[in-house]
Amino acid sequence: MLPRRLTPRIHDLLDHSPAVVLLGPRQAGKTTLALEIGERSPSIYLDLEDENDRARLSDPSRYLAGHDRELVILDEVHRMPELFQQLRGIIDRGRRQGKANGRFLLLGSAAMDLLKQSGESLAGRISYSELGPFDALEIGPDQLETLWVRGGFPRSFLAESDEVSLTWRRNFIRTYLERDIPQFGPRIPAETLRRFWTMLAHNQAQALNAANLASALGVDGKTVARYLDLLVDLLLVRRLPAWNRNAGKRLVRSPKVYVRDSGIAHALLGIRDKEALLGHPVAGQTWESFVIETLITAAPEGTEAHYYRTSNGTGLDLLLTLPGGAFWAVEVTRSMAPKLERGFHSACADLNPHKRFCAYPGPDRYPLADRTEAIGILELAKELRAAG
């Protein structure tokens, strides 16, 4: 396993909070990271998908009282939502006895359900962090294109061959559709949801057209919204909102939607390896999505991400508003000789960002026109991380 750059942050949160929630899609490495963190001090691990571990918590207060000097790691905690109310009392009793922080590390795969359940019961007692698949800052620069092709799920990225990687991703998709997703809401036919997921992969980095998707699936717009909400909630799809603060322009309002892991997108589209990807019409779109996801992941906590598009086509691929108010504009290109289009200049004139970048695959950094720098993806990700 590669070291995860989130590890120091989880340690820090545990030092300052009674409970920490680690969110992330299944198979992203949450359990591995949690067990490594548990090695720092006495700990106990319970997998709430295991009947025996759930049985231990039939009386949570009594069982956990016997482990009040240990870090308790609860995996797939959304399987026992009734537990959050019990944890509140346990944490409050521990505070009165001087056991304030580092009590619980809770792992979950469904963001909105888990945030709602924990937020209602553990307000003021809990911190949150998100662990995604491997990102560009966790690998070597020579593996960037492998990360794009295979995606960052550990068993896919580290597979011994492209074929083994693709087989893993196909099984991952099948398992999510047939076993995992039915746990999180009303029954959705697996084949229908696969078609929807695949349509999103075909339209990577494109503005959402819910009417077209609904027509293709033979459902109504509300059903499309429900499918999309589910995949966003499971941290498999990202909705990138449109910038809407410039009242003097006619702006595109629909969000851009993309499959967050490029390797999963490629598996949905049947793309086997890099050669097949480079000859596929969606290559430019998945590259743009890959770069945007890389930069959002690298950005400081609290950064707001948007894209900008006017009705006449003026646009920017990514706008990042950093916590201190700094405003960065990013255009993404796959070309090794980046050039700025007229729409980029017009968008910058509209918005006047503090920094302007053209992110490209190369290693060099140099100035372009209009106070814009060409910059490699990894270097821009590192600059964003340092800005925090």
Side-chain angles (χ1 to χ4, degrees), residues 178-232:
E178 296 176 359
R179 186 183 75 90
D180 296 336
I181 288 177
Q183 299 176 8
F184 293 103
R187 175 68 180 170
I188 300 173
E191 186 54 38
T192 301
L193 195 57
R194 174 188 283 274
R195 288 176 58 207
F196 178 70
W197 204 356
T198 303
M199 288 175 188
L200 296 182
H202 274 290
N203 291 281
Q204 288 282 86
Q206 302 298 304
L208 177 68
N209 189 324
N212 283 354
L213 292 172
S215 176
L217 288 170
V219 299
D220 59 26
K222 291 182 179 179
T223 301
V224 164
R226 181 164 61 90
Y227 292 174
L228 181 58
D229 285 344
L230 176 61
L231 292 176
V232 170

Side-chain angles (χ1 to χ4, degrees), residues 297-364:
T297 302
E301 185 177 0
T303 298
E304 296 181 11
H306 299 82
Y307 81 98
Y308 180 76
R309 191 77 63 210
T310 67
S311 58
N312 65 4
T314 294
L316 289 166
D317 293 328
L318 182 64
L319 298 173
L320 295 170
T321 306
L322 276 60
F327 184 41
W328 295 15
V330 181
E331 190 72 2
V332 179
T333 180
R334 176 104 181 110
S335 172
M336 292 297 289
K339 296 180 180 179
L340 299 175
E341 302 293 336
R342 179 182 299 177
F344 175 86
H345 298 293
S346 298
C348 287
D350 292 343
L351 300 171
N352 193 28
H354 296 93
K355 292 188 177 183
R356 309 173 185 189
F357 299 100
C358 183
Y360 80 114
D364 298 324

Side-chain angles (χ1 to χ4, degrees), residues 1-281:
M1 289 291 294
L2 299 175
R4 303 310 302 266
R5 62 186 181 86
L6 193 64
T7 302
R9 172 164 173 75
I10 300 301
H11 284 305
D12 184 63
L13 291 175
L14 286 168
D15 287 340
H16 296 89
S17 180
V20 174
V21 170
L22 182 58
L23 297 166
R26 288 182 182 272
Q27 302 295 321
K30 299 188 301 298
T31 302
T32 300
L33 176 57
L35 293 174
E36 289 177 356
I37 288 170
E39 292 176 357
R40 184 181 70 161
S41 59
S43 64
I44 183 172
Y45 170 81
L46 299 175
D47 181 358
L48 299 189
E49 290 199 328
D50 184 288
E51 290 185 7
N52 293 328
D53 283 354
R54 288 203 303 272
R56 296 185 196 185
L57 292 172
S58 56
D59 186 347
S61 295
R62 177 175 295 180
Y63 178 81
L64 294 173
H67 299 279
D68 61 352
R69 296 294 176 180
E70 299 171 276
L71 172 66
V72 178
I73 302 169
L74 300 176
D75 205 345
E76 300 300 341
V77 69
H78 57 271
R79 295 295 300 272
M80 290 185 68
E82 67 278 8
L83 190 58
F84 288 103
Q85 192 63 42
Q86 298 279 346
L87 293 181
R88 176 177 178 170
I90 293 168
I91 288 170
D92 289 348
R93 285 194 297 273
R95 280 175 164 174
R96 292 191 291 269
Q97 297 168 7
K99 298 185 286 288
N101 297 324
R103 302 288 309 280
F104 299 99
L105 179 56
L106 313 175
L107 315 182
S109 306
M112 292 309 297
D113 281 350
L114 193 54
L115 289 172
K116 181 179 179 182
Q117 292 162 4
S118 60
E120 290 174 350
S121 301
L122 298 176
R125 303 166 181 85
I126 195 164
S127 300
Y128 300 89
S129 196
E130 181 180 326
L131 179 74
F134 290 142
D135 63 46
L137 292 174
E138 295 173 316
I139 64 165
D142 58 330
Q143 295 179 298
L144 189 65
E145 296 221 333
T146 300
L147 184 65
W148 170 43
V149 175
R150 295 186 178 186
F153 283 96
R155 292 183 62 187
S156 175
F157 177 73
L158 298 172
E160 61 189 34
S161 68
D162 287 338
E163 189 63 34
V164 172
S165 171
L166 180 61
T167 298
W168 184 89
R169 281 176 277 143
R170 285 173 168 168
N171 289 334
F172 172 88
I173 292 166
R174 184 181 305 112
T175 300
Y176 245 107
L177 291 169
E178 296 176 359
R179 186 183 75 90
D180 296 336
I181 288 177
Q183 299 176 8
F184 293 103
R187 175 68 180 170
I188 300 173
E191 186 54 38
T192 301
L193 195 57
R194 174 188 283 274
R195 288 176 58 207
F196 178 70
W197 204 356
T198 303
M199 288 175 188
L200 296 182
H202 274 290
N203 291 281
Q204 288 282 86
Q206 302 298 304
L208 177 68
N209 189 324
N212 283 354
L213 292 172
S215 176
L217 288 170
V219 299
D220 59 26
K222 291 182 179 179
T223 301
V224 164
R226 181 164 61 90
Y227 292 174
L228 181 58
D229 285 344
L230 176 61
L231 292 176
V232 170
D233 185 26
L234 293 175
L235 305 170
L236 299 170
V237 167
R238 186 180 294 277
R239 233 181 330 229
L240 183 66
W243 180 266
N244 59 7
R245 303 176 196 175
N246 190 338
K249 297 286 183 177
R250 294 180 59 191
L251 301 177
V252 173
R253 304 286 182 176
S254 296
K256 281 187 178 180
V257 177
Y258 60 88
V259 179
R260 291 178 62 165
D261 184 78
S262 56
I264 297 299
H266 298 152
L268 287 164
L269 297 172
I271 298 172
R272 307 185 69 85
D273 52 29
K274 182 179 175 181
E275 288 303 312
L277 175 58
L278 293 176
H280 197 285

